């Protein structure tokens, strides 16, 4: 099945640093979603994007829907230890309930 | 509290012994789905259901069965588990509608020996 290319696969950063990750696809999506998964838990929705070019924030998190509709970016500003986890992007095609997930970015924050 | 509930959280079994992982949601969602999560592969869809008595295959349905007799429940059945089905499984649900979001359960870690 189709999957999204998500990068980086993992990253170690210092507390206070900004973080950027992205997802790219060969297909166009109508919706981009960003999830965070804490250890031992299910993914929790962080941000949903519905229009090309849309920029949406949720606290220290900012995500953008790429203008080509084939990519999306997530930025975390001033990272803190509780940001540790796996971040997943997901794309959804219009008129369907099918979600394609990225392979995840594992984030580790060093205090 | 609105939630998707999976049981059990952890399960160790042996090859060939039938098992069922239950999933229940209390949000009256029409759509429910099962995913498996494997290292380096992200989340892959196993089966999904658009409503009661309506189910369809996802990307990796082999070796799995589902049923949707009631709106709130969507059990995942492994008739004859094999070691390659060792994985972390997630159930998810969402309401109908264009801009609705997908909500996940806490996961079931399955080990097939």
């Amino acid at each position: 099945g189709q999957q999204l290319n998500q990068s980086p696969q993992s990253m170690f950063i210092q507390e206070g640093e900004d973080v950027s990750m992205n997802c790219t696809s060969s297909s166009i999506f109508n919706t981009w979603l960003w999830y965070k998964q804490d250890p031992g838990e299910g993914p929790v929705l962080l941000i949903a994007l519905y229009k090309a070019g849309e920029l949406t924030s949720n606290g220290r998190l900012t995500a953008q829907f790429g203008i080509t509709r084939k990519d999306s970016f997530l930025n975390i500003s001033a990272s803190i230890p509780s940001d540790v986890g796996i971040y997943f992007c997901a794309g959804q095609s219009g008129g369907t309930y099918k979600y394609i997930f990225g392979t995840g970015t594992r984030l580790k924050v060093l205090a | 509290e609105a939630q998707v509930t999976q049981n059990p959280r952890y399960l160790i079994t042996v090859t060939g012994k039938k098992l069922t992982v239950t999933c229940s949601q209390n949000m009256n969602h029409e759509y429910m789905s099962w995913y498996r999560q494997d290292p380096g592969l992200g989340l892959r869809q196993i089966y999904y259901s658009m409503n009661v008595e309506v189910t369809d295959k996802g990307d990796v349905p082999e070796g799995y069965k589902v049923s949707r007799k009631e709106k709130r429940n969507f059990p995942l059945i492994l008739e004859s588990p094999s070691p390659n089905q060792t994985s972390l499984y997630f159930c998810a649900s969402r309401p109908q509608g264009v801009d609705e979001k997908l909500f996940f359960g806490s996961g079931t870690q399955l080990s097939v020996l």
Side-chain angles (χ1 to χ4, degrees):
Chain A
Q2 181 186 4
Q3 284 190 306
L4 300 176
N5 294 316
Q6 187 171 347
S7 65
Q9 285 189 331
S10 64
M11 52 196 315
F12 285 86
I13 60 169
Q14 292 286 340
E15 183 176 358
E17 287 184 349
D18 296 344
V19 176
S20 292
M21 60 190 77
N22 68 81
C23 274
T24 59
S25 170
S26 57
S27 304
I28 290 173
F29 291 118
N30 284 12
T31 300
W32 281 95
L33 306 172
W34 283 93
Y35 287 86
K36 183 193 176 196
Q37 183 180 16
D38 290 324
E41 299 295 330
V44 174
L45 184 67
L46 299 174
I47 293 178
L49 302 160
Y50 301 107
K51 296 179 183 178
E54 179 181 353
L55 187 71
T56 297
S57 293
N58 178 7
R60 293 178 295 105
L61 278 62
T62 301
Q64 184 163 23
F65 194 138
I67 57 173
T68 66
R69 295 168 62 194
K70 293 183 178 181
D71 55 10
S72 182
F73 306 87
L74 177 69
N75 296 313
I76 305 173
S77 63
S79 58
I80 59 177
S82 62
D83 289 335
V84 68
I86 304 175
Y87 291 80
F88 288 101
C89 62
Q92 182 194 12
S93 300
T96 76
Y97 286 76
K98 188 167 180 63
Y99 298 83
I100 307 298
F101 282 84
T103 49
T105 294
R106 186 180 296 273
L107 180 64
K108 298 185 180 181
V109 180
L110 306 175
Chain B
E1 179 187 356
Q3 58 186 1
V4 179
T5 303
Q6 294 177 230
N7 280 297
R9 285 296 301 269
Y10 303 94
L11 180 58
I12 300 174
T13 189
V14 295
T15 298
K17 186 176 181 181
K18 180 179 178 180
L19 66 91
T20 299
V21 183
T22 64
C23 175
S24 179
Q25 50 91 7
N26 62 1
M27 297 169 279
N28 201 37
H29 287 170
E30 289 80 11
Y31 175 91
M32 298 184 74
S33 182
W34 277 101
Y35 293 84
R36 60 177 289 174
Q37 182 179 17
D38 301 290
L41 296 178
L43 289 157
R44 294 181 293 168
Q45 190 178 52
I46 303 170
Y47 268 95
Y48 65 96
S49 169
M50 300 291 288
N51 215 322
V52 176
E53 302 292 1
V54 181
T55 63
D56 208 346
K57 297 177 181 178
D59 295 320
V60 288
E62 293 78 19
Y64 304 95
K65 285 176 57 177
V66 293
S67 68
R68 188 89 182 273
K69 293 184 171 59
E70 306 166 278
K71 198 173 189 179
R72 64 183 290 126
N73 296 323
F74 191 45
L76 180 68
I77 303 157
L78 284 72
E79 294 272 2
S80 183
S82 61
N84 65 11
Q85 292 178 299
T86 293
S87 187
L88 179 58
Y89 291 87
F90 289 103
C91 180
S93 74
R94 58 160 281 178
Q96 286 184 342
V98 175
D99 291 346
E100 295 299 336
K101 306 168 188 66
L102 196 61
F103 295 91
F104 285 86
S106 297
T108 296
Q109 179 63 60
L110 172 65
S111 296
V112 183
L113 306 177

